[in-house]
Amino acid sequence: QVQLVESGGGLVQAGDSLRLSCVASGQTISSYGMGWFRQTPGKDREFVAAITRDAGLMDYANSVKGRFTFSRDNSKNTVYLQMNSLKFEDTAVYYCAASLKYGNVRYPSNYDYWGQGTQVTVSS
């Protein structure tokens, strides 16, 4: 098993930046595909960004391309989501997830472990 803990959320104004962190324990993140998702009350969990387990390829949702950057630091067993030019529509609880599967990284059902989430609120 792997345990995931997100941090870095907060309240910002449109146009500002935040960096989210996800620290993993129990297993090394190199053994997993890693992803970021977000969810607003009343809506389904939405794919944001991910790195595949097998090929190590990055993937981003169209809504965040050019603004968000996914990265990882294996020495710290941590992945990050750098969020720039934040919009009101980015407001959500952001979740880190780990996958042992080789399925499509955009689907929440393909992930095995989830963090508790961190709130990001962007004022307009």
Side-chain angles (χ1 to χ4, degrees):
Q1 295 185 349
V2 61
Q3 293 77 45
L4 307 172
V5 179
E6 306 98 330
S7 63
L11 174 62
V12 298
Q13 294 183 338
D16 287 350
S17 298
L18 283 173
R19 189 179 76 159
L20 306 183
S21 299
C22 174
V23 180
S25 61
Q27 300 289 337
T28 60
I29 60 174
S30 62
S31 300
Y32 295 85
M34 301 294 297
W36 287 97
F37 292 78
R38 63 189 183 187
Q39 188 167 22
T40 300
K43 298 181 180 179
D44 293 334
R45 193 159 295 187
E46 176 188 11
F47 169 77
V48 177
I51 182 169
T52 64
R53 179 187 177 188
D54 51 351
L57 300 176
M58 299 290 184
D59 192 23
Y60 295 92
N62 289 336
S63 60
V64 305
K65 284 183 178 178
R67 299 189 299 118
F68 291 10
T69 303
F70 180 99
S71 63
R72 63 180 175 184
D73 186 339
N74 289 335
S75 67
K76 298 180 179 179
N77 216 30
T78 301
V79 298
Y80 305 93
L81 185 68
Q82 178 66 47
M83 305 185 295
N84 298 327
S85 301
L86 283 163
K87 305 175 181 179
F88 173 77
E89 304 92 274
D90 296 318
T91 296
V93 177
Y94 283 72
Y95 295 91
C96 176
S99 176
L100 290 169
K101 303 178 178 66
Y102 292 97
N104 194 314
V105 296
R106 291 171 173 254
Y107 298 157
S109 61
N110 286 331
Y111 288 81
D112 301 284
Y113 304 100
W114 296 84
Q116 82 290 341
T118 184
Q119 177 71 48
V120 173
T121 303
V122 184
S123 64
S124 59

